Amino acid sequence: MTHDGIGAPLRRKEDRRFLTGRGRYVHDIVRAHQLYAVFLRSPHAHAEILAVDAKAALASPGVAAVYTAADIAGKINGVPCAWGIVGRDGKPMKEPPHPPLAAGKVRHVGDPVAMVVADSLAAARNAAELVQVSYKVLPAVTAVAEAVKPGAPQLYDDVPGNLCCDWAVGDKAATDVAFAKAHHVAKLDLVNNRLVPNAMESRAALAEYEPSTGEYTLFTSTQLPHVARVLLGVLMLGIPERKFRVVAPDVGGGFGSKQVVYAEEALVTWAAGRLERPVKWVAERSEAFLSDAQGRDHVTHAELALDRDGKFLGLRVSTLANIGGYVSTFGPNIPTNLYGPLLAGAYTTPAIHCEVKVVFSNTVPTDAYRGAGRPEATFVLERLVDVAAHELGLDRVEIRRRNLIPKDAYPYQTPVMLQYDTGDHAATLAKALELSAWSSFAERRAASAARGKLRGIGLVTYIEACGLAPSRIAQQLGARGGIFESANIRVNPSGDISVITGAHSHGQGHETVFAQLVSELLGVPCANVEVIHGDTARSPFGLGTYGSRSAAVGGAAIAKAAGKIIDKGKKIASALLEASEQDIEFKNGAFTVAGTDRSKSFAEIAGAAYTPPPSYPLETLEPGLEETAFYDPVNFTYPGGCHVAEVEVDPETGVTVLVAYTAVDDIGTVLNPLLVEGQVHGGVVQGVGQALCEDCVYDPASGQLLSGSFMDYCMPRADDLPLIVSETACTPSAHNPIGVKGCGETGTIASPATVMNAVVDALAQYGVTHVDMPASPQRVWQAIQAARLRPVAE
Amino acid sequence: MYSFAYYRPASLGEARALLGQIEEASLLAGGQTLIPTLKQRLASPDAVIDLKGIGALAAIERKGEALVIGALARHAAVAASPVVREAIPALAALADGIGDPQVRNRGTLGGSIANNDPAADYPAALLGLGATVTTCERSIPADNFFTGLFATDLEPDEIVTAVSFPIPRRAAYVKFPNPASRFAIVGVFVAETAAGVRVAVTGAAPCVFRLPPAEAALARAFAPESLDGLSIAADGLNSDIHAVAAYRAHLVAVMARRAVRQALA
Ligand SMILES: Cc1cc2nc3c(=O)[nH]c(=O)nc-3n(C[C@H](O)[C@H](O)[C@H](O)COP(=O)(O)OP(=O)(O)OC[C@H]3O[C@@H](n4cnc5c(N)ncnc54)[C@H](O)[C@@H]3O)c2cc1C
C-alpha cells in the first residue's frame, strides 16, 4: 500500500467534482413549485423610511408575497451577534437591534427594505420595482475617522458618537514607563483599507417547509451550518433544532463572509413556512458588493519605543475600527480580540498597550475576512518595525533578529494575553532569506535601475493565533457559546469508514485531508475513508470552519474519536485473541498481542463488531464500532514564519509589479503538502490583492459604494503574480494531539505588510517612508510627486 | 431583463426594414455592452435586432491603401487577421488588448464605435489613423464621428457597416489600463500617415480627442524626444477613483512618448 496518510501530497478527492462542473451548490438545487425571492435594497446610505407601499407590487403578475418590516414585526427576531465584547470601562458593547428588514431607518446602501416572492425571478424583479418606499434622506458618514467626530451624523439615538465599544488590552502604565525610558520612538499613522470578500459563489439560500411535520430545511451557502441553525432557527425564528435542518452543500468560497449569519437566510426560511412552498434566493454579484460582510477598515496611530540597540521596549497602538451600520455576527470581535493580542508579533516587546474604538458608520457591516484582525495587526507592527529600522539606521533583518523570541524561550507568555507554544523564528528567517536570495538583492536592483525601474525588497517575520478556540478563553472574551469541534467515526461492517465532521469545507479540501488523517491513525487506505460534512442532520453539533481551525480543532476531534475506536478495537481483539487488553497493540492497521504474531486486521475487528462471534463478550461490550468525540482545544495554535517580497515600480507611471514572493511558514505538522501550498498561494494572493489593488471605496458625501462591481473593484489576476515560492518548517504545536498549527490564513496575514515593506523600500530613495494600501498606480505616483525629492544617485 | 421581441435579419435591407417598423429597437452586435445594460434593466427596448446573421458585415480586406473592416468583425478576428497584422500591426495589437478572451470573441468593431465608451480603445485608432466610417446611409470621417460622451454622429436608425483605415507608414497604440476593468484610463494612438502625423487620445476625457501640439512636434521630427516637455492641461479631463485628472494628464504625455518609441521600434 502506498502511503497516503499524514504528509502525503495527495490531489484532492474533490477535484474531479469541482473541475468538471459536478459540484452541487445551492444554486444547483431546484425544488418543485419553488418560489423566487428578491430583496429590495436601500439606495441611500442613511435615511428615514417614511412609508412603504407594496400594493402595486402585490398585484403584479406571479407575486406570492411582499414582506416589509411591518409584516415581520414580532415574528422574526433581529439578526443576532454571537460575540459580545466588553469595553475598557467594563461595560458591554452597544448592541442596537438589527432588524432583518430595515425598520424606521436604513443605515447603508444595500440595507434590505422589502422581500418580494414570486413564481419566477423575472416576476419577482418586476414586482420589486413597484414597491414604493418614501425616504427622508439623512446626512451619512462612511469614514471611521469622520464618524467619531463631534457633529457627525448619528446612526442610533442611543449610541452617542457612533461608538459601539471603547476597548483596550495590555498594561498602559507599564507601557508609559517603557516609553519614558526610550532612546527612540518610531511613529506611524496608517490606514488599513476596507475590502470586499468576493467569494466566487455568491450567497444563496433555498428553504422548504413540510407542513405535516413542521420541519424546515434550509440549504444555504454557509461556513457553519450548526451555528446558523441555532442563530437563525432558535434565536431569530423560534424553530427548535429538531425541526430545522441546515445544509451547506458545496460552497464556493467564504473567506469569513459566510461565517456570518444573514437576514436573507432567516427571511427565506420564514417565507417558505408561511407560503408552504420552497423559496429560493441567489445573490447577484452587485448585491454581494452591497450586502456580504466586508473586511478590515482601520485607521491607526502606532508608536514603538526602542533602546539604543534597537531592542523594542514598548508598543502603543490606537485604532479606530469601522464595523459598518450594524453589529455583525462576529463583527466587534475582529478588530479587538483578534487584533490587539496579536500586536506582540514574533517579538519580545515587554510592554504593549492597544486601544480600539469600535465605530458604527453608514457602510456594509464588517466581519471576519481571511485573517480577520491578524493581518491588520501584522501590518501595523511590521510597517512600524521597518520605520524604526530606517530611523535608527539599522538593517531591517538585523532589527528583527535582535527582537525575535528565541527558540528556547518557548512556551512564551506575551504581555497581551496570548501564550505561544512553539516556534523557531531564527530558522524560518534564515530559510526565507536564503530562498529569496536576499543577500544578492543589490544586483537585481541595479539591473532594474538600468531599465529605469525602482526595485524594492521587503520582509516580515510574523506569528498569528488561530485554531479557534479554547471555549473557556473565548467565553471570557465574549463568545456567546463554546468553540470546540466534533467528529464522528463510523466504522462500517466491512471495515470501510465514514467520518462525519462538524467542521465545514468550502474549498479547503477536508474530504481529502481528513481522510488522510484517519488513514494514518487507523491504518486503512485513504480511498476507504469518506468524509461527510455540512449537514446538521448528519453531523454532531460542530462549529464550522473559520480561523484556520479545521485541522487544529476538527482534526484533533477526529484523532480523539479515532483513539476511542482503537480502544474499543483493543477490547474486541482481546476477546477474540484471548489476551488481556493491556497486551494488545494497535500498529499498521492491525491489533496484535504484544510480542507474538497473533493478530487481527482492522477489517476483522470491524466485522466482529457487527457480526459478533461466540467469543465476543456481548454482556460487557456493546456491538458496533462507532465513536463520537468533542474536542475543545487547550489553547490557540500559533503559526509563524517569514515572508519576503520583491517589487518593481515604474516611476513614470507608478505601476507596481510584484516580481518575486517567498513564504516560509511554520505551520506545525503538514498533513498534505500539496494542499498547504495551495492554501499558502491563495492566502498570499488575497493579501497581495489588498496591498496592490483591492479597495472598497464609498463616496464620502453620498455614502454610495463607488467600487460596486469588478469594473472598479480590482481583484488580483493570474497575470499580476509571480511564481510564489512556498516552503514549510515544522515545530509541532503543543496545543493539539496532531501537532498542526493551521495554514488557511498565514498567507493573507503576512503578505500585505511584506509587499508594502517592499514598495516603501523601492520608493525610499524619494524619501517615502509609508504608503497606504492599495499601492495603486495613482497612489504610488502621487507618493513620488509628494516626496518632491530628487532621487539620490544609485 | 425586461421582455422584448428578438429578430435576426439575414440582410442589411431586412434589418433596415425592421428598424423602420419598430418604435424602439436596439441593434445587437457582440452584446458585450447591450446585454449587461439589458440585464441591469437600464434599457427596455421593444425589440432587439441581432445583426450577427448578416455574414457580409464581418469581412476584413485590404483595398489598395486602405484596410476595410466590417462592423461585425470581432476583436479576436481583427487581432488574429494576417491582413491586419501586415497592414496595420498597431491595430491588431490594439484589438488584442481589449478586455479578455471572452470579450474579444464576442465584441465587435461596429458595436465598440457606435457605443463610443470614453474608455474604449477603437475610437483612438479611428481618430489616430483618420479612418472613415461607412454606414448604410453614408460615409463619416472619424474626425466628425465621435461627438461626445457615449455620443456619435449616427442617426438613431443608422447601421455602421464598415470602417476604412488608411494604411499608415508607422503607428502604435499604448494603453494604460484601468487596473480593475482594463479599459483605457489613457490610451494614445500615434500614426505617421500620408496625410501627416496624427495623435489621438482615449480614456482621458469624455470623448476621444486629437492632440495638435504633439502632432505638430512630431511632424517636425517623429521621435520621442520631440514630446519632451509636452504638458497636458488637466482641465476637462476625467477624474475617478482610479485616476484624477492631473494623473491622467501626466499619463497622456508618458503614453504618447511610449507610443512614438514603439512606432519606431
Ligand atoms: C468585461 C469587459 C471588458 C471590456 N474591455 C474593453 C476594453 O478594454 N477596451 C474596449 O475598447 N472595450 C472593452 N469592452 C467593450 C467591448 O469591446 C465591446 O466591443 C463593446 O462593449 C461593444 O461592442 P459589441 O459588439 O459587444 O456591441 P453591443 O453590445 O452588441 O452593442 C453596443 C451598442 O452599439 C450598438 N451597435 C452595435 N453594432 C452596431 C452597428 N453595426 N451599427 C450601429 N450601432 C451598433 C448597439 O445597438 C448598442 O447600443 C469590454 C467589455 C466587457 C464586457
Side-chain angles (χ1 to χ4, degrees), chain B residues 3-203:
Chain B
S3 56
F4 51 79
Y6 173 83
Y7 298 93
R8 192 178 165 98
S11 71
L12 204 53
E14 216 181 298
R16 295 180 70 183
L18 284 166
L19 282 171
Q21 291 156 19
I22 303 160
E23 184 81 32
E24 275 206 48
S26 282
L27 296 173
L28 174 69
Q32 296 304 289
T33 297
L34 186 64
I35 299 293
T37 312
L38 294 176
K39 281 173 77 174
Q40 290 172 62
R41 301 186 153 213
L42 297 172
S44 53
D46 299 328
V48 166
I49 301 173
D50 187 347
L51 298 175
K52 285 195 295 294
I54 314 174
L57 291 186
I60 299 176
E61 44 190 345
R62 184 168 179 155
K63 289 189 177 159
E65 281 314 291
L67 180 66
V68 180
I69 303 183
L72 281 182
R74 294 168 197 230
H75 309 330
V78 173
S81 160
V83 181
V84 181
R85 285 167 162 233
E86 212 224 294
I88 316 180
L91 190 61
L94 175 147
D96 201 35
I98 295 175
D100 49 46
Q102 289 90 331
V103 170
R104 290 196 289 276
N105 278 297
R106 301 295 305 174
T108 67
L109 171 62
S112 176
I113 64 168
N115 191 47
N116 193 20
D117 188 308
D121 296 302
Y122 268 129
L126 267 71
L127 198 60
L129 289 164
T132 303
V133 179
T134 311
T135 74
C136 51
E137 314 277 346
R138 57 188 171 138
S139 290
I140 311 168
D143 281 310
N144 301 339
F145 184 83
F146 302 105
T147 54
L149 183 71
F150 291 106
T152 67
D153 194 43
L154 290 172
E155 295 296 329
D157 284 351
E158 198 170 359
I159 302 175
V160 175
T161 54
V163 178
S164 172
F165 295 93
I167 295 169
R169 205 166 307 150
R170 47 183 156 232
Y173 176 67
V174 176
K175 164 179 179 175
F176 188 87
N178 176 317
S181 72
R182 299 196 177 178
F183 270 87
I185 278 186
V186 165
V188 178
F189 200 102
V190 172
E192 200 179 4
T193 70
V197 174
R198 294 173 70 105
V199 178
V201 180
T202 189

Side-chain angles (χ1 to χ4, degrees), chain A residues 20-57:
Chain A
T20 59
R22 306 206 62 89
R24 188 164 171 269
Y25 301 87
V26 173
H27 206 352
D28 298 317
I29 302 172
V30 176
R31 284 291 185 262
H33 311 297
Q34 74 185 17
L35 295 164
Y36 297 80
V38 159
F39 290 92
L40 180 70
R41 296 179 182 278
S42 168
H44 305 295
H46 199 193
E48 260 177 58
I49 300 173
L50 301 177
V52 185
D53 181 352
K55 273 198 276 323

Side-chain angles (χ1 to χ4, degrees), chain A residues 298-369:
Chain A
H298 289 193
V299 173
T300 293
H301 175 76
E303 301 184 353
L304 180 64
L306 300 101
D307 75 7
R308 207 168 291 279
D309 301 321
K311 283 283 280 182
F312 306 158
L313 301 175
L315 176 68
R316 249 185 214 149
V317 175
S318 169
T319 290
L320 300 174
N322 193 342
I323 57 159
Y326 299 97
V327 175
S328 179
T329 314
F330 295 97
N333 183 45
I334 310 300
T336 51
N337 291 313
L338 292 184
Y339 170 73
L342 274 295
L343 288 163
Y347 309 116
T348 54
T349 318
I352 297 173
H353 187 252
C354 169
E355 48 189 31
V356 181
K357 286 193 166 63
V358 179
V359 180
F360 290 109
S361 74
N362 294 113
T363 58
V364 174
T366 58
D367 206 305
Y369 174 68

Side-chain angles (χ1 to χ4, degrees), chain B residues 168-262:
Chain B
R169 205 166 307 150
R170 47 183 156 232
Y173 176 67
V174 176
K175 164 179 179 175
F176 188 87
N178 176 317
S181 72
R182 299 196 177 178
F183 270 87
I185 278 186
V186 165
V188 178
F189 200 102
V190 172
E192 200 179 4
T193 70
V197 174
R198 294 173 70 105
V199 178
V201 180
T202 189
C207 184
V208 62
F209 64 95
R210 283 173 70 181
L211 211 51
E215 292 177 352
L218 291 170
R220 284 193 291 278
F222 195 84
E225 298 74 42
S226 301
L227 300 181
D228 285 352
L230 173 71
S231 161
I232 312 292
D235 295 350
L237 298 190
N238 299 335
S239 264
D240 58 30
I241 59 174
H242 305 286
V244 295
Y247 181 46
R248 277 192 159 84
H250 167 78
L251 287 174
V252 170
V254 175
M255 294 303 121
R257 273 197 302 277
R258 290 184 182 183
V260 173
R261 205 172 298 135
Q262 194 168 305

Side-chain angles (χ1 to χ4, degrees), chain A residues 122 125-126 129 650 652-653 655 697 706 710-714 717 719-720 777-778 781-782, chain B residues 2 41 176 178-183 240-244 246-247 250-251 254-255 257-258:
Chain A
R125 287 211 183 110
N126 288 341
E129 287 179 0
D650 177 348
E652 239 183 351
T653 60
V655 169
V697 185
L706 298 178
F710 292 133
M711 297 300 273
D712 287 301
Y713 189 88
C714 181
R717 303 184 203 190
D719 64 354
D720 292 324
Q778 166 164 275
W781 179 76
Q782 285 171 334
Chain B
Y2 299 103
R41 301 186 153 213
F176 188 87
N178 176 317
S181 72
R182 299 196 177 178
F183 270 87
D240 58 30
I241 59 174
H242 305 286
V244 295
Y247 181 46
H250 167 78
L251 287 174
V254 175
M255 294 303 121
R257 273 197 302 277
R258 290 184 182 183

